[in-house]
Amino acid sequence: EPEVTQTPSHQVTQMGQEVILRCVPISNHLYFYWYRQILGQKVEFLVSFYNNEISEKSEIFDDQFSVERPDGSNFTLKIRSTKLEDSAMYFCASSVGGLTEAFFGQGTRLTVV
Amino acid sequence: AQSVAQPEDQVNVAEGNPLTVKCTYSVSGNPYLFWYVQYPNRGLQFLLKYITGDNLVKGSYGFEAEFNKSQTSFHLKKPSALVSDSALYFCAVRRGYGGSQGNLIFGKGTKLSVKP
């Protein structure tokens, strides 16, 4: 069964450093998403991406964040200058279209020290 | 603003008994409602959704959910629980009006524990 894959599974970075989280969505999917879950809190929507541009973003997704689909298979989330409060599990998801449900990856645990 | 609430942090059920995981929602417009499950060290897995039509929605692994407009609820149910159903269950609603079904607001999650 096709699945969304995320790498790495766990990343530790120093405060102020840039980090890139990588995702390979399911191959025929056209909509891509990033979510995060701070430990003990809700899963929160960050951004959706379609047709090579951001279609919606939350208030969390500020100028420190950016997304990119650098080629036909990867979808990345970049955090420019990480803060301690960016420590969370980050989930990538994809869907065939806007009218279909999303499938999630297993997540990348980001720890900022 | 769209929101969902899961009033129970944990639900404990004996194997073979029916289970219910509760979810209530608040939306403007027609609700698009979803249930996802998260097993340890795994991503969120889609179980089922309600968009329109029959109020009883059937999904994966024998789960079903009942949409109740008057009570603004979308409770997840299964007639006979299995130990392997033990996981974290999330109710979600689509963000805003007209957005894609992947733009979701999640509840805080309910831990389901099924004992043999």
Side-chain angles (χ1 to χ4, degrees):
Chain A
E1 184 177 330
E3 57 181 19
V4 176
T5 57
Q6 293 185 241
T7 54
S9 56
H10 189 192
Q11 181 150 0
V12 181
T13 189
Q14 290 204 321
M15 191 169 54
Q17 294 295 305
E18 175 183 285
V19 68
I20 297 176
L21 308 183
R22 302 181 190 280
C23 169
V24 178
I26 296 173
S27 62
N28 64 332
H29 286 192
L30 301 177
Y31 285 71
F32 314 111
Y33 315 88
W34 282 102
Y35 284 79
R36 80 173 184 190
Q37 185 179 29
I38 295 171
L39 189 64
Q41 299 187 24
K42 292 183 180 183
V43 177
E44 300 172 293
F45 171 81
L46 292 178
V47 65
S48 60
F49 189 86
Y50 169 69
N51 200 25
N52 280 321
E53 59 183 26
I54 291 173
S55 51
E56 186 174 344
K57 62 181 180 179
S58 72
E59 58 280 0
I60 302 169
F61 194 86
D62 61 21
D63 292 343
Q64 290 284 83
F65 292 90
S66 62
V67 289
E68 192 179 27
R69 186 150 163 85
D71 52 44
S73 58
N74 291 283
F75 180 53
T76 61
L77 174 70
K78 182 192 292 186
I79 309 175
R80 257 179 271 286
S81 177
T82 50
K83 309 183 195 70
L84 294 176
E85 54 265 37
D86 294 327
S87 295
M89 182 74 88
Y90 287 81
F91 292 106
C92 174
S94 66
S95 62
V96 171
L99 299 180
T100 55
E101 62 276 5
F103 291 81
F104 284 73
Q106 80 281 13
T108 293
R109 179 162 297 285
L110 177 66
T111 302
V112 182
V113 297
Chain B
Q2 323 288 75
S3 67
V4 290
Q6 294 180 245
E8 303 152 318
D9 291 333
Q10 179 153 346
V11 170
N12 298 312
V13 177
E15 187 173 34
N17 282 0
L19 70 87
T20 298
V21 182
K22 295 180 180 177
C23 173
T24 58
Y25 66 88
S26 173
V27 303
S28 51
N30 294 324
Y32 281 39
L33 297 160
F34 303 80
W35 277 101
Y36 281 81
V37 60
Q38 186 179 31
Y39 297 101
N41 300 315
R42 303 284 297 176
L44 299 162
Q45 293 182 35
F46 171 76
L47 278 179
L48 51 79
K49 66 181 179 182
Y50 173 83
I51 305 299
T52 187
D54 289 342
N55 290 343
L56 187 64
V57 180
K58 294 190 183 296
S60 306
Y61 312 122
F63 283 93
E64 57 191 28
E66 186 168 11
F67 171 69
N68 187 316
K69 188 172 183 177
S70 62
Q71 297 186 4
T72 61
S73 66
F74 189 57
H75 300 332
L76 182 70
K77 301 183 180 187
K78 187 173 183 182
S80 178
L82 300 172
V83 172
S84 57
D85 293 329
S86 299
L88 192 55
Y89 290 80
F90 292 94
C91 182
V93 64
R94 188 184 66 172
R95 286 168 57 92
Y97 179 78
S100 81
Q101 290 184 22
N103 294 13
L104 300 171
I105 296 172
F106 282 92
K108 64 179 173 60
T110 298
K111 183 178 179 182
L112 174 66
S113 178
V114 182
K115 301 293 186 192

